[in-house]
Amino acid sequence: MSSLGVQVALIAALTAVAADDLTALVGARVFNDVPKDAAYPFLVVGYGDEEEAGTSDSAEIEHRAEVQIWSSYQGETEILKLIDATRARLHGARPLVNGSPAVFCLFERTNRFVAEDGVTRRAVMTFRVMA
């Protein structure tokens, strides 16, 4: 399955309407290419790598996809809520990749950063997706 298919599947999973913190905090502000006027907070799905993980009987690919979380909230509260909500939405999910459920989508790690302005925060989450 293609990296584009995985990216589309993750964006669909993250923008699905649900009664949870993720929907309450970002709504539909999940992007591949962030608009110049995007309001904080927002998520960006992109980047990553892939490697062949199939067998002689199957042609599966394991993808490592990044979800970046951007916040301008003073302090850590908002970004920590978004990390937890994003993990809850994707870890263990089986998003549809090109019409077929992924074999798995597993949380791997999170790295957090504070921009030089001292306010803007970014978290980079990595998920493993077998499709």
Side-chain angles (χ1 to χ4, degrees):
M1 298 293 173
S2 72
S3 292
L4 177 59
V6 170
Q7 187 178 64
V8 169
L10 292 180
I11 290 171
L14 290 167
T15 56
V17 176
D20 62 10
D21 284 345
L22 188 61
T23 299
L25 290 166
V26 299
R29 292 187 309 275
V30 180
F31 308 108
N32 168 259
D33 186 25
V34 182
K36 290 181 183 180
D37 61 346
Y40 288 94
F42 59 83
L43 279 58
V44 179
V45 178
Y47 312 110
D49 57 17
E50 59 185 48
E51 62 183 69
E52 194 278 321
T55 65
S56 59
D57 297 338
S58 67
E60 292 166 334
I61 296 174
E62 183 171 327
H63 302 264
R64 280 192 171 69
E66 285 188 359
V67 176
Q68 295 185 33
I69 302 169
W70 291 83
S71 170
S72 62
Y73 183 85
Q74 191 72 22
E76 295 279 312
T77 302
E78 184 175 71
I79 200 134
L80 292 173
K81 285 181 180 178
L82 284 163
I83 289 168
D84 289 346
T86 301
R87 184 184 310 111
R89 183 74 66 93
L90 293 181
H91 181 71
R94 296 188 64 202
L96 292 178
V97 179
N98 298 329
S100 298
V103 176
F104 60 73
C105 180
L106 301 173
F107 169 74
E108 191 169 83
R109 71 178 168 270
T110 300
N111 295 308
R112 293 187 325 220
F113 308 91
V114 179
E116 289 181 17
D117 66 9
V119 177
T120 307
R121 296 183 179 339
R122 177 173 66 111
V124 179
M125 301 182 75
T126 305
F127 291 86
R128 292 175 39 227
V129 181
M130 178 76 78

